[in-house]
Amino acid sequence: MFDYATSGDGFYPDGGFVQHEYHPYNGSYGLSLLQYLTYSMLAVRGTQWAFTAARLDRVVDWVEDNFRPWIHAGAFMDMTRGRALSRFYQTDHRLGHLTVATLVQLADVLPTSDAAALRSVCKGWIAADTTQPYFAYDDVPIEQVRIPSIVRGRALVADAAVTTAAESTRSVVATSMARAVHRRPGFALGIAMDSTTIKPYETANDENLQGWYTGEGATYLYLPGKPGHWANQYWPTADKYRIPGTTVQVKPLALGAGRGSTNTWTGGVVQDDVSVVGMGLSFAKQTLRARKSWFGFGDVVLHLGAGITSSDGVRVETVVEQRNTGPDGQTVPVVDGRAALTTPSSTATTLTPRWVHVPGTGGYVFPAGTAVRALREDRSGRWTDMDHRGTYEDDTTHTRRFVTLWLDHGVDPTDATYSWLQLPGATQAQVSAAAASDDVVVLANTASLQAARQISTGVTALTAWSSGTPRDRWVTHRPHGVRGRAPGRRRCRGVGERADTAVDGSGHHHRRRPCRCAAVRRPAHHGAVDQP
């Protein structure tokens, strides 16, 4: 059994699992470790080498903290799978199946209450995976669930005494691996970031050669009604230069190229149904700089960017969405109540919408006057475009239709900004209503402070990037890696240079030290957090 890691490889108490020192790997190496650990536990059960209660508790904690947050509808999120993302035979759903098979076996050696809870979770994932059902024939002859696991799964589904667990709504910030997920009953939004300690992607053995932006402020939206979005040939066909959430220079990159992140802070805080996540953007090999924050106010996510500056003579973009609508996808966006992009074309259109609704995906609300570039196009590609190992290949040319939205900051921008609201899974009526509402108000969006307030709940959230802000009624916790938990069901996470996290306190004034911080503040009538 392993202790929690404090640096480098291993499990972290915040939900992270790191392998090869710099890469999130819960859904690949972490899963392999869990498989062989489970086999060992089963082999020694009832012997003098059986795992002690304390060790069993440790494994239960790993399952709950380091695996469950990163699985949605039975699929293991791509942002936690390292270079396995580029393997056609290791999709999020296939590795989710292997996880379920492993956990069903693991339940056999756990205490009664833990075993019952775990079986319930597995039953929920089996039921939720309608894209690649657990019991369906899979014609890919690698990473298959074995027949004994199919039998156990059938028995689990048939067992009326085991409840079917709902999808987890627990949001997590795992700064140890620069990952976060904001979870609600209707969606999960993953955020993949980088820093000097976590690289934006891994390429090795000629794999994942186009993963440049997959962990650089990338957002991964999971919806219960569209569980197959990423597994449906997304990676061979998507534009790898326009990964959702990223702010990028528009220029070609060599296969496997890196730009050397010099970002020294990535972190966030979770309190109840509010998530605050932030990261800096800076590199050794290009001049692009930016501050990026995500504020999850329940079912609405505010995206903020500031200080976007570059002097390399190239255009800079921020990608709002690149949604896979399937082969010959018939999904047509609705812009301010009217259908747009009705005819697929590789020529971009400039829109100035207040809101955009993508049926089956949700909506986006922009400040008045925002110019949004838009495409609805067919894209083709092969898995072998990004995987050159020469073994276990799929060189089939796949085609998928995408709806892509992005913001053009121009060539060599100086202190450019962006702001939009995302409503995952929302109906057209809900998106239109959000555009007409002032419920979420941006209080600041600069390179030193990004802050917003949700009027209906009285919640204020912020990311502070320089000394002197915020002031008044904020209790801070330092230093570099805050791993603890304080009253109010709040999880603080911070890593990097002088990284702080902050939560609203009791009304006392506190002198601020030079810091970078993420914070959530609730008014007293919404349950202000006591000072620890």
Side-chain angles (χ1 to χ4, degrees), residues 453-502:
R453 182 175 178 82
Q454 187 175 40
I455 303 301
S456 60
T457 60
V459 173
T460 299
L462 65 88
T463 308
W465 299 97
S466 62
S467 61
T469 54
R471 312 184 74 89
D472 297 348
R473 299 195 66 213
W474 297 95
V475 180
T476 66
H477 304 269
R478 218 158 58 98
H480 292 160
V482 182
R483 299 273 187 261
R485 197 180 290 188
R489 293 197 298 142
R490 173 273 280 153
R491 285 172 173 257
C492 298
R493 301 285 184 260
V495 70
E497 181 183 78
R498 303 188 67 84
D500 290 12
T501 57

Side-chain angles (χ1 to χ4, degrees), residues 234 239-244 246 317 319 322 375 404 406:
Y234 184 92
D239 185 345
K240 312 309 186 300
Y241 294 100
R242 288 191 173 131
I243 302 301
T246 58
E317 297 176 350
V319 185
Q322 185 183 192
L375 274 175
T404 307
W406 71 94

Side-chain angles (χ1 to χ4, degrees), residues 4 48 107 215 232 248 252 288 353 389 408 433 436 462 464 491 498 526 532:
Y4 283 110
Q48 60 181 317
N232 188 12
V248 303
L288 178 62
R389 288 177 301 160
D408 187 342
L462 65 88
R491 285 172 173 257
R498 303 188 67 84
H526 281 282

Side-chain angles (χ1 to χ4, degrees), residues 200-201 203 208-213 252-260 285:
Y201 77 111
T203 179
N208 201 27
L209 295 169
Q210 297 177 334
W212 311 295
Y213 297 112
L253 298 173
L255 294 177
R259 284 148 296 126
K285 297 182 181 180

Side-chain angles (χ1 to χ4, degrees), residues 14-15 24 69-70 77 79-80 170-183 188-193 218-220 222 266-270 275-278 294 493:
D14 65 0
W70 315 111
M77 295 182 179
M79 67 178 185
T80 64
R170 175 187 164 200
S171 298
V172 172
V173 176
T175 305
S176 62
M177 62 176 188
R179 295 294 185 267
V181 61
H182 180 66
R183 300 187 73 129
L189 183 70
I191 304 172
M193 301 164 283
T219 54
Y220 293 76
Y222 293 84
T266 294
V269 59
V270 173
S275 303
V276 181
V277 181
W294 298 264
R493 301 285 184 260

